Structures are given as structure tokens and as C-alpha cells.
Amino acid sequence: MTILDTIIRGARVVLRDSVEELDIGITGEKISALSSHLVGDEDTEIIEAIGLTVMPGAVDIHVHFNEPGLASWEGFKSGSASLAAGGITTYVDMPLNGVPPTIRPEAWESKMKAADGQSYVDYTFWGGLVPGNRSELAPLADMGAAGFKAFMSEPGGEGEDIFARADDDTLLNGMYEIAKLNRVLALHAEDETMVAELGSRSIADGRIGPMDYVQSRPAEAEVQAVSRALQYGEQTGCALHFVHISTREALDLIAEAKQRGLDVTSETCPHYLTLTEEDVVRLGAVAKCAPPLRSIAEQNRLWDALGAGLIDVIASDHSPCPPSMKQSDNFFEIWGGISGAQSTLLLMLEEGHLQRNVALPLLGKVLALQPARRLGLESKGEIAIGKDADLVLIDWEKSATLNTDDLHYTHKQSPYVGRTFSSSIVDVFCRGTRVYTKTGLSDEPLGRFIRANSSVPVGVEGTEGVS
């Protein structure tokens, strides 16, 4: 008989394809039982959860915590604290804007040291594909890189050792190498020629406001870059993952490529689903990102795409910076990045489930199961026997307004400050340990590095039959 360390009793449990009233049994770090009326012994902790809903801990595969080198922007401790408070129990940190960026083994080692003992939840890292580092990709994969990130437009930044845009030769050669390594290439897809020309023309004409910036990065720039990258993926056999997709047309291109047999997935972000270009004008710098926020009509098309199974992953693209970098009369000069990781789950429950009736199992898939599967994080992503006990308890009866003081970010900036959420997060467990409660974070950061498993297929399970 399995000894149960903890029983979460009587909750509505979000499983892969259903929501059922169950008890959850936890033994050590794993889910060991899912059944009605579980019985423990005198040492079993009982958590009464009648009336609550338990979601799988979210897996955010797109965050920028900026270590090593730029911990003053965010850092692993504050960033992971924010995730824990928001019900995210695993994250994958991007290879920029750390100094140095994670594009060679020595940078990887520096990043591992910076994260050790500092994270409240579990983590792994992306490596980077930049001009001249093809020979570094295999060593990075051996060290545990979950995949590789490349930019098709200029990522920005200053200094000699910055993350550089991948030109066409870099993309093609890198894709051949990444395919051999059985990894996935994540792409920021905007056509550099188009956005550079439109941006330069706008600045030269003195058009430097928020909407001028939005119009300088049109939907067509995303669509053209996605189309070109799909051609390269078909040529090389490289698995692709398109990050922060903001348009339905690009999602349709990706869906068509899947139908042709390409191993490709799509990601969008909460800000594209909950904010629009009007918010760029209303909120200003805190809502600047690339690609920019789109129209309400485009946002509605993204929600339709989610219901149709065309979006594989929802990730935050949490991209913080010091407040000084958000201040300029020239909107083009302002650092582009939205701080939002702490709000991802509650935003999707509010605007997805409560306002648009998106089924909880579908949200569980795009927030947890599919991102975990895409990068081979086999123990993560769903509430099932044998999986890590990464669990989020939701109270639908307790609403809360997000205040600046509630944010755990180093710099308390977010476009979601002032929003009222109809639900709240009660408890968050990472590998069976409570890392967050209504009263605050756990005393010590207990998160650890999770190695991606490259031996499993990189494709994800679809969402057919879920609405």
C-alpha cells in the first residue's frame, strides 16, 4: 500500500481531457493516487479543498530573467518568486539578455551558477543560435539546453557580446545542426528588412509616438518571416517553435505546415489575448512589445484560433527592465518588453474560462502539458499518476485586484496593475512542496534544474475534441 504524505481532498481536478471531483494523493515529489475518498495514516497531511479547483502547475517556456550579468533587471530569485505566486511551477529561461548571452558552454556554466539555490520553482534554459556559433550548439545540447532561440529581426541591446540577429545562412546552417541534435528552434519571426525600413522612415518623419511604433511592425512582417522560416524548416527537417505569435494569418500558415507533416508549434502570449493597440496608447511604455499589440479584431481571431486548436502554447514572454529604460519621448527608443509572468494563469482563467467559456482542460494543455511535451520535460505538465506534484489550487469565490505591492518583480511594473480577477490562487505546490500560499512564499527557494529529455519526440499532442 502506498504511503500518502499529502491528500488534497474533494477538489475539482483538471485532467488532460476532463474535470473530475477527486482526491489527489502525493508521495514524496510525485502524484501517487487519483481517486475518490483516499485514506491516509496519522502522518498524512490533509488539505480540504472542497469548492476549489486544482490546475496543473503551468510551464512557462518563455521568460527573460537576465542572469548572469543583469540581475538588476530581474534575476532568478525575484522572477521565480513571481512565477510561484502566479501558479507557474516550471520555466525555461531565454538566452538573452544575460551578460554574456547563453550562446556557448562557458556562458551556460555561468548561468547555472547564477540560478543554483535561487529559484522557487523548477527551471531549465534555452541556448541561443547566433552568427558564428554553430559549433557551440552540440556542447550546449549536451549540457542540457532544452532547445535554441534565434531572432529574425534585430533583438536590440548594446555592447560587444550581445545576442545577434540570425541571418539566412545562420538560420539554415543552424537548423541543419539542431535537427541532428533532436532539439527545437524557437524563432522570433519578424521580417527585419520591413520593420527596419518602416521604423527608420517613421522616425525620420518625426512620427515617434506609440501608434507610430505599432504601425512600423505590421502583421505582414510576422507573416513573411513565418513563411520563410517554414520553408527553411521543410528543407532542413528542423523542429520549429514560433514564439509570441500575434496574428491569425501566421497561425494559419503554421497549421498548414503541420498538415504537410512539419514538426512545428505555435505560441502566443497573454498580452495578445488581453490587451490591444489601444492599450499601447492608454498605458504607454509598460505595454510596448515586439511584435506589438494588435487590434481588437485581431485579438478576437486569436481567441477563435485557440478554440480551434491552432495555438499550442501560451507563455508570458516576461521581459522586464529598469524603469529608466521605459522613459523617453521617442517610443521607438523605449525598451520593448512586457512584465506579466505573475498574471498569466489568472488572466487566462478570467478572460479565457470565465469570459469566453474556454474549457479548463484546454487551458491546462496550452499552459502546461503541451509546453512540457514540446521540450521533453517528461515529469511536468499534467495531473496524472507518476508526474511531479506540481499543483495550483484555485478559489473561484475570492476576487482580488492586482496592486503594485502584490508584484514580486524586481521592478514593480505591469500593464495588469489595477485589474480585478474573479478568482485567486490559494496554494501552489512544486514537486509536492508548498512554494506559495495566500500568506506568501516558502522560506527557501527549492526549485531545481530539470534536464530536457531529447530522446522523446519533440512534437506535441493536439487538442482535437477539446473546446
Side-chain angles (χ1 to χ4, degrees):
M1 179 178 178
T2 302
I3 297 174
L4 300 177
D5 298 320
T6 304
I7 295 174
I8 299 174
R9 179 170 286 163
R12 296 177 69 245
V13 180
V14 179
L15 305 174
R16 185 182 292 197
D17 294 306
S18 63
V19 181
E20 301 181 25
E21 189 171 305
L22 293 170
D23 294 349
I24 303 173
I26 301 171
T27 302
E29 298 182 346
K30 301 291 185 180
I31 298 168
S32 56
L34 289 169
S35 181
S36 300
H37 311 299
L38 289 175
V39 177
D41 58 26
E42 64 273 13
D43 295 322
T44 302
E45 179 188 14
I46 305 297
I47 299 173
E48 296 293 348
I50 293 173
L52 303 181
T53 293
V54 183
M55 294 280 294
V59 179
D60 192 339
I61 65 172
H62 193 162
V63 300
H64 299 267
F65 288 165
N66 308 315
E67 288 204 72
L70 291 177
S72 61
W73 289 29
E74 185 67 275
F76 287 114
K77 194 164 188 177
S78 61
S80 66
S82 307
L83 296 182
I88 295 169
T89 53
T90 308
Y91 62 92
V92 189
D93 190 52
M94 284 293 176
L96 69 163
N97 300 293
V99 180
T102 317
I103 57 176
R104 57 182 67 93
E106 54 268 32
W108 179 277
E109 291 171 354
S110 295
K111 193 165 195 170
M112 288 287 285
K113 289 177 182 177
D116 187 32
Q118 297 299 306
S119 184
Y120 284 94
V121 295
D122 290 345
Y123 59 91
T124 190
F125 306 138
W126 292 93
L129 170 65
V130 297
N133 85 323
R134 178 176 179 174
S135 64
E136 312 283 8
L137 301 181
L140 285 168
D142 290 342
M143 298 175 91
F148 297 91
K149 170 73 176 291
F151 275 75
M152 298 178 73
S153 61
E154 291 294 342
E158 298 178 353
E160 294 182 2
D161 196 9
I162 62 171
F163 200 92
R165 176 177 65 89
D167 56 28
D168 286 356
D169 285 344
T170 298
L171 282 177
L172 271 171
N173 291 327
M175 284 186 191
Y176 278 117
E177 185 69 19
I178 292 166
K180 290 193 297 185
L181 297 171
N182 194 26
R183 290 295 197 271
V184 61
L185 176 63
L187 285 168
H188 178 131
E190 287 183 289
D191 183 81
E192 173 60 20
T193 301
M194 184 184 300
V195 299
E197 181 178 344
L198 291 174
S200 296
R201 189 185 307 165
S202 186
I203 293 169
D205 291 344
R207 294 179 285 111
I208 55 173
M211 280 306 297
D212 300 315
Y213 169 77
V214 169
Q215 291 165 4
S216 75
R217 305 183 85 98
E220 185 181 357
E222 179 175 87
V223 171
Q224 284 194 17
V226 167
S227 178
R228 188 165 79 253
L230 287 171
Q231 293 174 17
Y232 295 166
E234 196 159 16
Q235 178 178 338
T236 61
C238 182
L240 301 179
H241 176 72
F242 288 96
V243 300
H244 52 51
I245 291 296
S246 64
T247 63
R248 175 62 186 263
E249 188 175 353
L251 289 173
D252 286 341
L253 286 177
I254 295 166
E256 291 166 5
K258 285 184 182 181
Q259 292 297 316
R260 299 197 304 272
L262 269 69
D263 186 357
V264 55
T265 45
S266 62
E267 165 197 307
T268 196
C269 305
H271 40 271
Y272 298 117
L273 293 166
T274 63
L275 300 170
T276 70
E277 59 191 16
E278 294 179 359
D279 293 301
V280 184
V281 176
R282 179 176 64 89
L283 297 170
V286 74
K288 180 184 176 181
C289 56
L293 300 177
R294 304 295 186 189
S295 67
I296 184 64
E298 190 68 75
Q299 183 181 93
N300 288 333
R301 287 191 283 270
L302 291 183
W303 281 110
D304 290 343
L306 177 65
L310 301 185
I311 295 173
D312 299 298
V313 172
I314 293 176
S316 70
D317 190 11
H318 178 72
S319 186
C321 70
S324 61
M325 298 179 68
K326 287 289 190 183
Q327 297 171 4
S328 175
D329 293 332
N330 183 341
F331 206 77
F332 286 82
E333 293 179 347
I334 289 169
W335 180 263
I338 287 177
S339 294
Q342 188 171 324
S343 302
T344 294
L345 179 56
L346 288 180
L347 282 167
M348 293 302 95
L349 292 177
E350 183 74 23
E351 300 218 14
H353 182 62
L354 294 178
Q355 294 188 23
R356 293 174 175 82
N357 202 33
V358 177
L360 291 176
L362 175 53
L363 290 180
K365 285 184 175 181
V366 295
L367 290 167
L369 177 63
Q370 293 179 172
R373 288 172 64 90
R374 187 50 165 156
L375 298 183
L377 305 176
E378 293 183 308
S379 64
K380 304 294 185 181
E382 67 175 320
I383 299 175
I385 292 174
K387 298 290 186 180
D388 285 354
D390 297 344
L391 307 167
V392 185
L393 278 63
I394 307 293
D395 187 344
W396 299 102
E397 302 299 321
K398 185 176 181 181
S399 63
T401 299
L402 182 67
N403 298 310
T404 301
D405 290 345
D406 299 324
L407 298 173
H408 291 271
Y409 311 140
T410 294
H411 303 292
K412 299 184 184 301
Q413 307 172 110
S414 172
Y416 308 119
V417 169
R419 284 203 179 215
T420 297
F421 297 100
S422 304
S423 60
S424 61
I425 294 172
V426 177
D427 286 300
V428 180
F429 292 82
C430 181
R431 285 181 288 103
T433 296
R434 189 184 276 107
V435 295
Y436 176 80
T437 70
K438 291 178 290 184
T439 58
L441 295 159
S442 57
D443 292 336
E444 296 292 333
L446 299 176
R448 65 183 182 220
F449 179 78
I450 303 295
R451 191 177 184 90
N453 189 340
S454 61
S455 67
V456 299
V458 294
V460 300
E461 181 171 305
T463 54
E464 293 82 357
V466 180
S467 61

